Each structure stands twice: as C-alpha cells, then as structure tokens.
Amino acid sequence: MVPKERIDKILDGYDLNNITIATLCSHSSLQIFHGARKMGFNTIGITISHDTKYYEAFPLGKPDEIIKYKDLDDMEANVDKLHDKNVVIIPHGSFVEYVGPKRFEDYEVPVYCNREVLRWESNRDMERQWLTSAGIMMPRAFTDAREINEPVMVKYHGAKGGRGYFIAKDYPDFKMSVDQSMPYSIQEYCLGTRYYLHFFYSPFKNTGYKLKRGGSLELLSIDRRDESNIDEMYKLGSIEDAKRHGLYPSFVVTGNTPAVLRESLLPKAFTIAENAVERSYELFNGMWGPFCLETVVTDKLEFKVFEISTRIVAGTNPFISGSPYADLIYPGLSTGGRIAMEIKESIKNGHLKDLMT
Ligand code: ATP
C-alpha cells in the first residue's frame, strides 16, 4: 500500500488551482467526466485496451485528454506525467477490477477513497464482519453444504458481476452444480425486491442528515440491475425445466434501471447506511464519498444487505442529470458531479489531503 505520507507529499507538489480529475475509460466515466467538467475541473481518461471512440458520441462526457498506456506496467511506471498534471483518480468498480487490488493499493497517484477499505470489501468474511458488527442484517451464511435446507445462492470467490453464481434448493441440487475446484461461499437466497442504494458520505458537510461522528449522509439515487439471463428465465417455465435443456441461470449485469423506495422505508435505509459508515471508522479509518448498499427488501419490509460497494457504482448512470433524491438536495447533480463538488469544496477549505489516500 502506498504510504499516506507519500500521497501527501505528492499533493504538496500540486497546483490546487489546476487539479485534474482522471479515471479509467469505462463503467461510469462519462458521468465522472461530465460532473468534473460541470465543476470546472480538467479531465483525463486513462486506458490500456478500452475503446474510446464512443466518447465522440457524447461530447459533454468526453475527457479533455486520453492517455493510452501499453500495459499495466507502463501505467504504473509513468505516474510522473499524472503528477505534473495534478491528477487525482476517481476509482470506480471497473478501475479496481481492471488493475487488480494489489496494483491499485500500490498505485502512486492520489485516489479519492480510503484504500484500506478494499481489504474489507473484497474479502467476504471481513465484509460480513464489518456489516454484521454494525447491526446490519445480511443473508444467512452456510458453512456446511449438507445443512442447506432452503434455497441458497452459491458464490464463487473472485467471480465478477454474478457470473458463475448459482441457486441450489438442497444438498443434492448443490452437488449437481458445484465446481469443487474453486472456493465458494453459500448464503441464503433472499426472496424479495432488489434495490441498490447510492449513498454519499461527506465527512465535512455539517447540514442535512448528520452522523454522530460528524459529517453528513446523502441518498443520491437508487437503481435496480438488469441481470442476464435470470431476469427473463421465467419465460421458459421453471428453472428446473430450463436446466434440462442445458440452460442455467446467471446474474451478469447488462444495464441498470432507475428505482425509488416506498417512502416509509427511507428511515431504515438511512439507519443501515449510517451504521455502515460509523463502523467503518471504528474498524479502518472510515469510508467516505460514494458507496452502494446492495439490498433485497423482503415482504416483511426488512432490508437484507448482500453486498457493499465502496465507490461509485454503474447503477448511478441513469442519473446523469439528477434523480428523484438528488434533486431534493442538489437539483440536476449526478454522483459524478457530487464527487467533483466534494473535491472542489475540500480544496477551498484545505481538506483535500483528508479525502485522498
Ligand atoms: P458486483 O461486484 O458487480 O456487485 P458480484 O459478483 O459481487 O457483483 P453480487 O452483487 O454479490 O455479485 O451478486 C450478483 C447478483 O446476484 C445480485 O445483483 C443479485 O441479483 C443476486 N444475489 C446476490 N446475492 C443474493 C442473495 N443472497 N439472494 C438473492 N439474490 C442474490
């Protein structure tokens, strides 16, 4: 992990009137660049293999400059050019996945997040420890497959975007589908409606929904993911029928649709997010900026949180020009815009170092 002192030293050399916001050309980059531009920042798109021609189709989301590296070693070795341009990185989900957690930890450019959070988020046991010790209800975990007595979700470690996950109804069903050569975890299949809640925690804002430790929590938007092929599986009859024809359900994200919660659920949603933030400061110096609680709401109106993403998620993309929630705080602002606003405020108030690791 890059020592915090090293990042602070890099920031000491920056021209704070000329900060550039950069991210990898994928995921939510259109929104990040659009938001950064709105707040007056320069923008850089970083790429190795990503196609960047699509930016031509969206001039307001196009970065001012694109830097194309040969490979990850090239990217890691050439950080000086980014320092010269006063670059801060906005890490999105694909950024960390693409460069890998180890390189991300060691990348010598200031990033807007607490890099320590990654360890807690990417290890399912540690994530569970964090959230359950914050009093948050998660799907029940099974340590022994022979104890499966209800529908469960089997998740291979390192599987991304739900690819390779499967549902089993009992132990024989599990045995039929499992690939024992890969590590996996088993959890209760939560039946209900999925909501992906996009929160933003500002440690410095002192108005709005205040936390005990200080700072303010915002709910900026909510989405539901479109997942292939599980979303349309019902059209073929039962999953068992489909399996007989060699068609197995998968949970690969292909897009996102906007959602809102019934209003009476908002207090619970805020309490869960608040507890996750408060506990993060007790465990590992905190989580700030955008994060997403991935939840199922049961017919008892209880939230079960099956995952937390501690950076901007692609589910915020339907809200580039605002959302039913953001519009009640900052009309027309996206999560990308909110990130840029936070960085701008922190520069003005001398807090930039506190947000960068
Ligand atoms: P990402 O990193 O993109 O969030 P992932 O690979 O970590 O994806 P999850 O988000 O854990 O995968 O799960 C993928 C999908 O599987 C979810 O969006 C949801 O539809 C479904 N899912 C996951 N866990 C459960 C559960 N316990 N009960 C019901 N459905 C679940």
Side-chain angles (χ1 to χ4, degrees):
M1 176 106 56
V2 193
K4 174 69 174 126
E5 303 76 56
R6 172 76 186 122
I7 296 298
D8 286 351
K9 194 145 179 270
I10 294 168
L11 287 169
D12 283 336
Y14 275 14
D15 172 2
L16 295 184
N17 295 315
N18 206 10
I19 291 288
T20 300
I21 285 186
T23 196
L24 195 73
C25 296
S26 184
H27 191 269
S28 45
S29 69
L30 285 167
Q31 186 198 152
I32 292 170
F33 297 138
H34 176 250
R37 174 174 291 208
K38 246 180 153 173
M39 293 292 149
F41 288 104
N42 313 314
T43 51
I44 290 182
I46 294 172
T47 180
I48 293 170
S49 59
H50 299 93
D51 187 351
T52 52
K53 192 175 171 198
Y54 73 98
Y55 288 121
E56 301 304 328
F58 305 108
L60 301 182
K62 185 183 162 186
D64 297 316
E65 186 187 344
I66 291 176
I67 298 182
K68 191 168 171 63
Y69 295 104
K70 282 202 294 289
D71 51 32
L72 289 172
D73 290 339
D74 187 29
M75 176 174 163
E76 218 167 32
N78 284 295
V79 289
D80 294 358
K81 196 170 163 199
L82 299 187
H83 298 162
D84 292 345
K85 291 176 186 270
N86 312 302
V87 163
V88 298
I89 299 275
I90 309 303
H92 52 56
S94 294
F95 193 106
V96 178
E97 205 181 318
Y98 191 77
V99 305
K102 180 78 182 87
R103 277 191 202 258
F104 177 72
E105 281 187 352
D106 295 342
Y107 192 45
E108 286 207 353
V109 183
V111 294
Y112 173 55
C113 75
N114 177 1
R115 295 190 210 213
E116 256 185 75
V117 74
L118 211 70
R119 288 199 197 139
W120 288 82
E121 184 199 12
S122 56
N123 177 314
R124 286 199 190 281
D125 294 333
M126 286 172 78
E127 181 186 63
R128 182 170 283 275
Q129 191 192 325
W130 168 16
L131 296 181
T132 54
S133 67
I136 295 169
M137 207 192 313
M138 294 191 74
R140 184 156 78 91
F142 289 77
T143 45
D144 184 343
R146 282 165 299 198
E147 285 169 7
I148 298 174
N149 56 359
E150 60 179 302
V152 294
M153 187 87 175
V154 183
K155 301 184 174 187
Y156 291 109
H157 295 186
K160 268 293 139 201
R163 191 181 292 277
Y165 287 9
F166 69 91
I167 299 169
K169 306 260 173 54
D170 49 31
Y171 183 55
D173 198 15
F174 166 85
K175 270 211 334 212
M176 210 170 66
S177 304
V178 74
D179 176 352
Q180 292 285 7
S181 70
M182 295 196 285
Y184 56 81
S185 55
I186 307 172
Q187 57 179 234
E188 163 197 358
Y189 184 87
C190 303
L191 191 59
T193 36
R194 289 171 297 124
Y195 294 98
Y196 301 74
L197 314 175
H198 315 143
F199 282 97
F200 188 97
Y201 172 61
S202 167
F204 304 116
K205 183 176 162 184
N206 53 21
T207 56
Y209 189 99
K210 290 185 230 162
L211 298 203
K212 281 194 278 306
R213 68 167 310 276
S216 181
L217 186 63
E218 300 165 347
L219 174 65
L220 294 181
S221 49
I222 301 175
D223 81 299
R224 177 164 309 139
R225 293 182 182 169
D226 293 326
E227 295 176 332
S228 180
N229 54 23
I230 186 74
D231 291 352
E232 301 293 324
M233 201 95 196
Y234 70 96
K235 290 181 181 162
L236 294 179
S238 72
I239 290 180
E240 272 60 40
D241 282 348
K243 277 186 186 169
R244 272 200 293 279
H245 293 94
L247 298 168
Y248 291 85
S250 54
F251 298 79
V252 178
V253 182
T254 54
N256 307 82
T257 50
V260 287
L261 276 178
R262 60 186 280 177
E263 196 166 314
S264 57
L265 284 172
L266 287 175
K268 272 189 196 168
F270 270 91
T271 303
I272 294 170
E274 177 173 359
N275 290 347
V277 173
E278 296 279 6
R279 188 74 181 127
S280 75
Y281 279 86
E282 288 159 11
L283 292 172
F284 51 84
N285 298 323
M287 164 183 68
W288 55 85
F291 66 98
C292 174
L293 294 174
E294 304 182 14
T295 73
V296 169
V297 179
T298 68
D299 58 2
K300 299 200 172 57
L301 298 178
E302 282 168 344
F303 282 92
K304 294 199 177 171
V305 177
F306 57 85
E307 176 128 326
I308 183 165
S309 291
T310 57
R311 61 195 69 79
I312 182 170
V313 289
T316 57
N317 286 338
F319 309 105
I320 285 187
S321 51
S323 86
Y325 299 111
D327 286 353
L328 303 178
I329 322 171
Y330 316 103
L333 202 69
S334 67
T335 294
R338 180 67 186 91
I339 291 169
M341 178 192 266
E342 184 78 347
I343 292 175
K344 197 172 166 177
E345 290 279 303
S346 74
I347 293 169
K348 196 172 91 194
N349 299 322
H351 290 311
L352 184 66
K353 278 186 188 165
D354 296 323
L355 297 180
M356 300 288 157
T357 62

